[in-house]
Amino acid sequence: MSSTNTISHEIADTLRDEILRQRYRSGDRFPSERDLAVRFDASRGAVREALSQLEQLGLIHTQPGGARVQSVNAASLAVLGPLMALDGYPDPLLVDQFLQTFGVLTAMTAKNAVNAASPEQLIQLKKLVLELADHSDDFEAMQPRWRELLEAMSTIADNLVVRLISNDLKAQFVDQMMKLGIHPKIERSSIDQLLTGLRVGMNKQDGEIAGQAMQNHFQELRAAVGEAIKFRDKEPSIRAVN
Amino acid sequence: MSSTNTISHEIADTLRDEILRQRYRSGDRFPSERDLAVRFDASRGAVREALSQLEQLGLIHTQPGGARVQSVNAASLAVLGPLMALDGYPDPLLVDQFLQTFGVLTAMTAKNAVNAASPEQLIQLKKLVLELADHSDDFEAMQPRWRELLEAMSTIADNLVVRLISNDLKAQFVDQMMKLGIHPKIERSSIDQLLTGLRVGMNKQDGEIAGQAMQNHFQELRAAVGEAIKFRDKEPSIRAVN
DNA sequence: GGACCAAATTGGTCAGACCAAATATAAAGC
DNA sequence: GCTTTATATTTGGTCTGACCAATTTGGTCC
């Protein structure tokens, strides 16, 4: 489920999940606002606000005369989080797709950041990599530094498109994975390879090298996370269907 | 400037643009719903629906006690389109960032599609490339085939994350560029190179080759679009500030 | 079977009201 | 004077009931 505790959000969450679960076929008529108000024992205003959210997600399209359900494939990026959380634990395939995508974008960011960095920024980046190296034996301790490095590179690369995409992806995936306590086992050698690649790239100010190192790292991360999910206790998710 | 013609959408569009124009600083209090209702001469319900949309965009955060403006950098991907359309014509830097991002994702899709394609799908892809080659002298005529090819590759690659991102990006950028009538002048040799690369990659079923060809093509496209925008008549945009 | 028209349905909006949480203001204490 | 506490006000969240316009729906007539 999502965040807030208002009625309209609860209605929106419930309906969103129902659509994501394919309870309605794409193109189907969506129940009328008045019917939904009765069903949720709420006012039509609250229902309307919920539908407004669903429309923003691209899950329904409303028109005078009635609303219709749209294809999940045509939805907004913001449905990824709810989609992944549908069954309580993430769909391994979806996680893999996320990591591949996030990896490509992060590699691009690293490349651009290294290429565009000013001398001072380059020093800052190197420092962050060094700090990362100091904690390369503790996965947990690495996380804050890792985030810091990504943030710094993102700032330097200064690509708003990627930043906005990453906002959505991170908000929906990374936090979710953390919450679920998925700890990928990454080979020490893989991390060393990444750090070395980043360092070399920064020293030569060659973004290609840094980007390639990042890309390779995500490749390994994909495998590691896949393993971690596979062996995870799949607690049966308790979810009211209403 | 957006789509629908309802009052709540108009309010949302106006307020969204004001936020994107930095009329409010991040962290500022947002006007109260009642004040906005007076200002727009609308009911509070309509204003609330508008604010609900802004919240979905990640531009404001509402709480009992008052709403606050959030940083554009923390917003949802869906603000890109409005952001680009703010001054009537697209910000060249933003367009370039879009093309770079879209290029990386499309290259990834091409690579995965070619690698994952079944024999029949491979034949279909080759056919689409051939059709594209048949019209390689007419930019306009290429567009539908180009879209068809991208759609086919997207279906085969079957990466929902990329698909959702592309939905948003395409909806916000491509259509906008088309509407503005921006016609990048792409060298014939560049197109031939792309088509050749795709063909070779498909024949060998080597996604790396196809992906690389796609990547190179977008590189050239970036330059061409940059030129096209630079020399475009910049009609002064007429926008009421309310 | 297809074109046309009336009735029911549905989304969009409005007005006025109440509650609970958050904020601002005034009062009390030091 | 300054902090703390209590009070009043503002603000978002919700409800009820109503009206309009656009769309669907269903029946009628050719």
Side-chain angles (χ1 to χ4, degrees):
Chain A
M1 326 269 184
S2 260
S3 43
T4 43
N5 36 19
T6 67
I7 294 183
S8 60
H9 278 108
E10 269 179 45
I11 298 176
D13 289 351
T14 302
L15 292 177
R16 157 170 57 65
D17 286 355
E18 286 184 3
I19 296 177
L20 292 179
R21 286 180 193 285
Q22 317 269 350
R23 182 153 155 183
Y24 309 90
R25 268 170 313 182
S26 162
D28 270 5
R29 285 185 74 88
F30 203 64
S32 78
E33 300 177 351
R34 290 167 176 87
D35 286 350
L36 291 174
V38 171
R39 169 182 161 192
F40 289 103
D41 192 27
S43 75
R44 224 188 103 200
V47 169
R48 278 186 60 77
E49 287 185 30
L51 293 191
S52 167
Q53 297 174 40
L54 295 185
E55 173 131 49
Q56 285 283 315
L57 289 179
L59 290 176
I60 64 174
H61 178 68
T62 72
Q63 258 188 351
R68 309 203 92 91
V69 180
Q70 295 201 294
S71 161
V72 174
N73 273 358
S76 154
L77 183 57
V79 304
L80 267 186
L83 194 59
M84 198 176 83
L86 260 192
D87 295 308
Y89 67 94
D91 176 3
L93 183 63
L94 206 52
V95 171
D96 191 60
Q97 294 178 358
F98 157 71
L99 285 175
Q100 189 182 15
T101 309
F102 196 61
V104 166
L105 294 178
T106 306
M108 179 180 127
T109 299
K111 173 182 153 192
N112 288 342
V114 169
N115 281 338
S118 68
E120 302 84 47
Q121 289 173 327
L122 215 50
I123 291 175
Q124 182 205 3
L125 286 181
K126 288 179 192 170
K127 201 180 116 208
L128 288 173
V129 172
L130 274 183
E131 282 183 23
L132 207 50
D134 284 343
H135 300 80
S136 62
D137 46 356
D138 183 355
F139 181 76
E140 291 297 328
M142 274 182 70
Q143 292 314 306
R145 275 94 182 175
W146 182 237
R147 245 190 297 267
E148 212 177 330
L149 176 62
L150 292 185
E151 175 60 30
M153 293 196 304
S154 181
T155 301
I156 296 172
D158 196 32
N159 184 323
L160 184 62
V161 179
V162 172
R163 181 178 278 275
L164 294 183
I165 295 175
S166 297
N167 283 347
D168 277 354
L169 290 183
K170 268 192 286 198
Q172 313 211 22
F173 270 81
V174 181
D175 302 342
Q176 179 92 19
M177 301 256 303
M178 282 296 167
K179 197 164 57 185
L180 290 173
I182 293 177
H183 296 303
K185 295 264 179 284
I186 303 173
E187 297 285 338
R188 180 59 191 268
S189 64
S190 166
I191 294 184
D192 288 340
Q193 233 173 325
L194 167 66
L195 295 180
T196 304
L198 289 179
R199 213 172 302 150
V200 172
M202 288 171 188
N203 283 332
K204 296 187 180 177
Q205 190 149 15
D206 182 334
E208 202 67 53
I209 295 179
Q212 194 59 54
M214 195 65 89
Q215 178 87 57
N216 292 338
H217 177 66
F218 268 89
Q219 197 71 26
E220 307 231 11
L221 191 58
R222 282 172 68 190
V225 170
E227 284 297 313
I229 291 183
K230 198 186 296 174
F231 291 118
R232 186 170 163 286
D233 355 324
K234 296 180 180 175
E235 319 150 11
S237 59
I238 304 167
R239 297 173 62 79
V241 192
N242 256 22
Chain B
M1 288 294 138
S2 255
S3 43
T4 43
N5 38 17
T6 67
I7 294 183
S8 60
H9 278 106
E10 270 178 44
I11 298 176
D13 288 351
T14 301
L15 292 177
R16 154 169 61 62
D17 285 355
E18 287 184 3
I19 296 177
L20 292 180
R21 285 180 193 284
Q22 317 269 352
R23 182 154 157 183
Y24 310 90
R25 269 171 311 185
S26 162
D28 270 4
R29 284 184 74 89
F30 203 64
S32 77
E33 299 177 351
R34 290 168 176 86
D35 287 350
L36 291 173
V38 171
R39 169 181 163 194
F40 289 103
D41 193 26
S43 73
R44 211 171 64 114
V47 170
R48 278 187 59 76
E49 287 185 27
L51 294 191
S52 167
Q53 295 175 41
L54 295 184
E55 173 132 48
Q56 285 285 313
L57 289 180
L59 290 176
I60 63 173
H61 178 66
T62 73
Q63 257 187 351
R68 308 202 93 91
V69 180
Q70 297 202 292
S71 160
V72 174
N73 273 359
S76 154
L77 183 57
V79 305
L80 267 186
L83 195 57
M84 198 175 83
L86 259 192
D87 295 308
Y89 67 93
D91 175 4
L93 182 61
L94 206 53
V95 171
D96 190 60
Q97 294 178 359
F98 157 71
L99 285 175
Q100 189 183 16
T101 309
F102 197 60
V104 165
L105 294 178
T106 306
M108 178 179 129
T109 299
K111 172 183 155 190
N112 287 344
V114 169
N115 281 339
S118 69
E120 303 83 45
Q121 289 173 327
L122 217 47
I123 291 174
Q124 182 205 2
L125 287 180
K126 288 180 193 170
K127 200 181 117 209
L128 288 172
V129 172
L130 274 182
E131 283 182 22
L132 208 50
D134 284 343
H135 299 80
S136 62
D137 47 356
D138 182 357
F139 181 77
E140 291 298 329
M142 274 182 71
Q143 292 314 308
R145 275 93 183 177
W146 182 239
R147 246 190 296 267
E148 211 176 332
L149 176 62
L150 291 186
E151 175 60 30
M153 292 196 305
S154 181
T155 302
I156 296 172
D158 196 31
N159 183 325
L160 183 63
V161 179
V162 172
R163 180 178 277 277
L164 293 183
I165 293 175
S166 297
N167 283 347
D168 279 353
L169 290 183
K170 268 190 291 198
Q172 312 210 23
F173 271 82
V174 181
D175 302 341
Q176 178 91 17
M177 301 256 302
M178 282 295 167
K179 197 164 54 186
L180 290 172
I182 294 178
H183 295 305
K185 297 265 179 282
I186 303 174
E187 297 285 337
R188 179 63 191 269
S189 64
S190 167
I191 295 183
D192 288 341
Q193 232 174 328
L194 167 66
L195 296 179
T196 304
L198 289 179
R199 214 171 303 150
V200 172
M202 289 171 186
N203 283 332
K204 294 186 180 176
Q205 190 149 19
D206 183 335
E208 203 67 52
I209 296 179
Q212 194 59 51
M214 195 66 89
Q215 178 87 58
N216 292 338
H217 177 66
F218 269 88
Q219 196 71 27
E220 310 232 9
L221 190 59
R222 282 172 68 190
V225 169
E227 286 297 313
I229 290 183
K230 199 185 297 174
F231 292 118
R232 187 172 163 283
D233 355 324
K234 295 181 182 175
E235 318 149 12
S237 59
I238 305 164
R239 296 170 66 79
V241 191
N242 253 22

